Amino acid sequence: MKKYLLKGLIASVLAIFSFGASAQSKLVINADHGKTQISRHIYGHFSEHLGRCIYGGIWVGPDSDIANINGYRKDVFEALKALDIPNLRWPGGCFADEYHWTDGIGPTSERPKMINTHWGGVVEDNSFGTHEFFGFVELLGTEPYITGNVGSGSVEEMSKWVEYINFDGVSPMADLRKRNGRDKPWNIKYWGVGNESWGCGGNMTPEYYANEYRRYATFARDYPGSKLYKIAGGANSTDYNWTEVLMRDIPLNMMDAMSLHYYTIPGSWGDKGSSTDFSREEYLSTLQKAAFMDELLTNHGTRMDKYDPSKKVKLIVDEWGTWYDVEPNTNPGFLYQQNTLRDAFVAAITLNIFNQHADRVHMANLAQTVNVLQALILTEEDKMLLTPTYHVFDLYKPHMDAMLLPALLSSDKVKAGRVEMDALNVSTSLSEDGTVNISIANIDPDHAIDLDVTLNGTEAKNVSGRYLTAPEINSHNTFEENDLVSIKDFEDYKWNKEVLKVKVPAKSVIVLRVK
Ligand code: AHR
């Protein structure tokens, strides 16, 4: 009797955690059918005055003992440079709607101090301001994306900030900029009009915000040589009504894009879950929540299509990523969390989805760059580490500005408890030099998957590959062991006549390049 019970128990445990056995998965790519370019800006980033993102993460000041270039952390700068990041959003986030830019210019010692009420109630000394931000993006060779203050600012304040940054002539703001040591304007393009105006940015209704947007956007001027790309503050997650009202009430010629925010939270707002300690069912349900981005983009896109079928107004997902409980013994307002192989899959799945929606999605910004939420980089005093998420952005670099290729995937399934998903998740693109890029995530923790790839419409045959995996789904890098999760060369593929046979390792992200 006992024996049967035990057998039954084992059978039901296996049924609950039955990560799929390997069958034949197939991917068919049409390399001559690309129509849409994947904007490099989809691979963008976000740095807010929040916790240790700016202070300690990017900026330590020129007098710091930590190695720096004019105050910018050298190690962090080098890591971001290597990633070739296309843009950086600043100064928030919720912080943007309480930031008064004039506090952050002029001699550092004379800048007023304020309390960062949103994020930990710490003193913000404004030592990192407009000039310091532009100094960093210039050093990186990346595009700045500024979010202006609508919530607690004024039309005049935002209008003057644009003048200060972009006007090359005689005017009060251009003169002030020159007196502060910068002769030429920065000529920036990307300009956000407020942040989360439905929440921390002012708790507005969409009708009210749409009217405000029209006023703010009118006085955010296009100066000679710098036409602004204006971004309306868009919806939170499934708030489709917000999108509908903005599309209806804002003339299409007054906005270039609308933003969207969506975070992947394993639990609830009150109990989000641990970054490193999770069950297999939580692992898979987190990835399922990340994959929800596809439905979101489709549904917001449908509302936009109604008013803008030619897709002139783009979507900018300027905040996305995982959000867990903060690490024990850290300031709850600093949003500091670890980053495991699970986060790498969230990044891989989300970036694949953005690629597939490249006709509408022009930009996306992972939240956030250093030490906050799903960070690329973590620092502790003078130590730093690259997270698994960083490595996914590194692997996916070939997709930037490549042509999206249509592809058909049939995949094995993976199951844990009540959650079932396709084990494989892919996107494919064609680089200018004719190289086909194939990014593949196998989220099955236990089984390698045999994948047959058929490439139509190309003679390309030379394959190279790189991949990311780790011993466990919660493996992560630490300051003591900082390359447990890192990229390796991938060689487990071979041609069988016209079919490229790939053995995709369990819990891995691969990028193959076929030339
Ligand atoms: O990224 C952290 C915060 O999340 C941002 O400040 C805000 O816009 C969002 O709610």
Side-chain angles (χ1 to χ4, degrees), residues 51-196:
R52 295 186 299 111
C53 182
I54 298 289
Y55 299 110
I58 288 173
W59 178 254
V60 287
D63 301 329
S64 172
D65 290 340
I66 296 173
N68 67 83
I69 307 167
N70 303 330
Y72 310 108
R73 268 189 90 116
K74 193 162 176 291
D75 50 4
V76 169
F77 160 73
E78 282 168 356
L80 294 177
K81 185 83 185 160
L83 217 46
D84 197 13
I85 66 166
N87 64 64
L88 192 59
R89 178 176 183 243
W90 177 84
C94 294
F95 182 79
D97 278 296
E98 60 180 350
Y99 182 61
H100 301 287
W101 68 271
T102 49
D103 293 347
I105 56 172
T108 315
S109 59
E110 291 170 25
R111 296 184 190 176
K113 295 185 173 48
M114 66 183 276
I115 299 293
N116 191 335
T117 49
H118 273 296
W119 305 120
V122 292
V123 174
E124 161 67 57
D125 68 3
N126 281 305
S127 54
F128 190 93
T130 302
H131 291 251
E132 289 76 19
F133 175 66
F134 284 121
F136 191 53
V137 293
E138 281 185 339
L139 201 61
L140 280 172
T142 193
E143 282 222 38
Y145 165 18
I146 298 274
T147 300
N149 181 345
V150 169
S152 71
S154 67
V155 172
E156 181 186 6
E157 183 181 3
M158 189 189 286
S159 169
K160 284 183 167 167
W161 202 8
V162 177
E163 181 186 327
Y164 187 88
I165 293 169
N166 275 358
F167 185 52
D168 191 9
V170 179
S171 83
M173 291 305 108
D175 292 350
L176 181 60
R177 183 191 68 234
K178 286 174 192 162
R179 284 202 299 282
N180 286 330
R182 171 78 186 198
D183 189 38
K184 285 286 158 202
W186 288 284
N187 289 334
I188 81 146
K189 174 174 168 183
Y190 292 109
W191 194 272
V193 179
N195 171 76
E196 296 196 350

Side-chain angles (χ1 to χ4, degrees), residues 36 59 81 103 125 219 231 259 272 277 296 299 321-323 328 333 336 368 398 464 471 510:
T36 312
W59 178 254
K81 185 83 185 160
D103 293 347
D125 68 3
F219 295 97
I231 301 156
S259 65
K272 300 186 192 71
D277 187 10
L296 269 182
N299 291 347
T322 52
W323 195 323
Y336 177 76
Q368 297 193 8
S464 62
I510 306 179

Side-chain angles (χ1 to χ4, degrees), residues 37 54 67 91 127 181 211 257 272 292 299 305 377-379 392 401:
Q37 188 172 31
I54 298 289
S127 54
N211 276 338
K272 300 186 192 71
F292 182 62
N299 291 347
D305 285 346
I377 299 168
L378 301 179
T379 68
V392 171
D401 286 338

Side-chain angles (χ1 to χ4, degrees), residues 300-452:
H300 284 286
T302 306
R303 266 69 176 187
M304 295 174 82
D305 285 346
K306 189 170 146 194
Y307 300 90
D308 175 31
S310 66
K311 301 188 187 343
K312 181 222 155 247
V313 177
K314 299 297 181 192
L315 260 177
I316 291 199
V317 189
D318 57 17
E319 288 186 29
W320 68 272
T322 52
W323 195 323
Y324 308 121
D325 293 332
V326 296
E327 293 307 311
N329 306 319
T330 65
N331 186 329
F334 280 15
L335 311 186
Y336 177 76
Q337 63 189 40
Q338 250 296 354
N339 194 297
T340 69
L341 194 62
R342 174 175 64 166
D343 294 82
F345 289 123
V346 169
I349 290 171
T350 307
L351 292 171
N352 283 340
I353 293 170
F354 290 155
N355 287 348
Q356 285 150 7
H357 287 267
D359 58 346
R360 184 67 91 171
V361 178
H362 172 68
M363 184 192 285
N365 306 78
L366 175 70
Q368 297 193 8
T369 315
V370 194
N371 292 332
V372 171
L373 298 176
Q374 191 178 348
L376 296 174
I377 299 168
L378 301 179
T379 68
E380 191 181 80
E381 302 295 338
D382 63 344
K383 295 192 283 272
M384 74 91 110
L385 62 83
L386 305 178
T387 65
T389 299
Y390 176 98
H391 293 305
V392 171
F393 275 80
D394 191 359
L395 285 173
Y396 275 52
K397 274 191 325 196
H399 285 308
M400 289 200 256
D401 286 338
M403 291 296 278
L404 175 70
L405 292 179
L408 204 63
L409 172 72
S410 55
S411 167
D412 283 21
K413 298 283 181 205
V414 56
K415 190 168 187 276
R418 286 154 299 164
V419 192
E420 187 179 44
M421 288 177 75
D422 277 357
L424 297 180
N425 183 287
V426 305
S427 69
T428 52
S429 69
L430 184 71
S431 295
E432 221 177 355
D433 68 355
T435 307
V436 176
N437 311 305
I438 312 170
S439 48
I440 311 166
N442 175 10
I443 63 176
D444 187 324
D446 300 320
H447 300 100
I449 293 185
D450 292 314
L451 176 66
D452 280 2

